[in-house]
């Protein structure tokens, strides 16, 4: 069975998707009953806690088409940052959906030094190693090679001699 496309929605958990707010989108993940209770309380949706259509996770998922419009109405009333503050305070998983410029200025991205400036690349920033070791400096980043820059060394490592490499170059292979 080929699953249908659901956008950002999870097929078995609801609500678990992105929602538009009054200004910017937000991602929500409510996958346990305690989270559902905190989610409803934080957003003033006590009536949903007692609605038999949404009594548990499987029912919320099965009735997603009924639940989503109710939540869309709620999220349209406020800003992303306001909802993030409220939901984080209630310990409900949520996140902004950032643009590329927002990602590059994200506090955690900056703190973890995810973007590195490579001196040989005229100040261009690249995504660095995603992991860091305690007390080990973050260094050694180099820009990616230009197209074909490593062709000769790779061909030699594959056992090609200088004549074969010259023939490939003459034929316009690289």
């Amino acid at each position: 069975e080929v699953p249908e496309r659901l956008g950002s929605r999870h097929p078995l958990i609801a609500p678990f998707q992105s929602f538009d707010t009054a200004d910017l989108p937000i991602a929500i993940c409510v996958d346990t009953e305690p989270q559902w209770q905190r989610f409803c309380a934080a957003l003033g949706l006590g009536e949903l806690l007692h609605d038999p259509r949404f009594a548990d996770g499987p029912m919320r998922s099965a009735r997603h088409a009924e639940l989503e419009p109710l939540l869309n109405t709620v999220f349209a009333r406020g800003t992303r940052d306001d909802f993030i503050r409220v939901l984080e305070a209630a310990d409900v998983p949520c996140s902004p959906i950032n643009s590329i410029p927002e990602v590059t200025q994200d506090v955690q991205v900056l703190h973890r030094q995810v973007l590195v400036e490579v001196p040989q690349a005229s100040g261009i920033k690249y995504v660095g190693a995603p992991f860091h070791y305690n007390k080990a400096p973050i260094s050694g980043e180099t820009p990616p090679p230009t197209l074909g820059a490593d062709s000769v060394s790779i061909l030699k490592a594959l056992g090609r001699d200088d004549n074969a490499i010259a023939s490939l170059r003459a034929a316009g292979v690289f």
Side-chain angles (χ1 to χ4, degrees):
E1 183 177 323
V2 178
E4 64 180 90
R5 292 181 179 180
L6 301 174
S8 65
R9 184 168 74 87
H10 191 286
L12 302 175
I13 303 169
F16 186 137
Q17 67 187 81
S18 64
F19 289 94
D20 290 329
T21 69
D23 60 353
L24 298 165
I26 186 173
I28 305 294
C29 170
V30 177
D31 65 345
T32 67
E33 291 311 307
Q35 286 175 352
W36 173 248
Q37 293 164 5
R38 293 191 307 270
F39 175 80
C40 289
L43 298 181
L45 299 172
E47 71 277 4
L48 294 184
L49 285 175
H50 306 293
D51 189 321
R53 297 175 298 169
F54 312 125
D56 60 23
M59 291 183 76
R60 288 191 295 278
S61 184
R63 297 184 181 276
H64 177 269
E66 297 171 57
L67 178 60
E68 183 178 30
L70 299 172
L71 299 179
N72 282 335
T73 301
V74 171
F75 284 113
R77 295 182 192 146
T79 67
R80 176 185 74 182
D81 290 344
D82 289 341
F83 284 114
I84 287 174
R85 273 190 295 280
V86 167
L87 293 171
E88 283 181 345
D91 198 25
V92 174
C94 63
S95 174
I97 299 173
N98 291 325
S99 65
I100 297 298
E102 289 171 321
V103 168
T104 65
Q105 296 306 307
D106 181 87
V107 173
Q108 194 65 9
V109 168
L110 295 171
H111 174 75
R112 297 279 304 142
Q113 299 176 350
V114 173
L115 299 176
V116 294
E117 190 170 315
V118 181
Q120 307 92 313
S122 304
I124 295 174
K125 291 186 177 185
Y126 294 89
V127 176
F131 50 85
H132 301 209
Y133 296 103
N134 287 342
K135 301 178 184 173
I138 300 171
S139 63
E141 299 291 346
T142 59
T146 58
L147 183 62
D150 296 326
S151 296
V152 171
S153 62
I154 291 170
L155 288 168
K156 285 187 178 195
L158 292 171
R160 303 300 188 272
D161 63 25
D162 290 339
N163 289 333
I165 293 171
S167 294
L168 289 170
R169 189 183 303 267
V173 173
F174 69 97

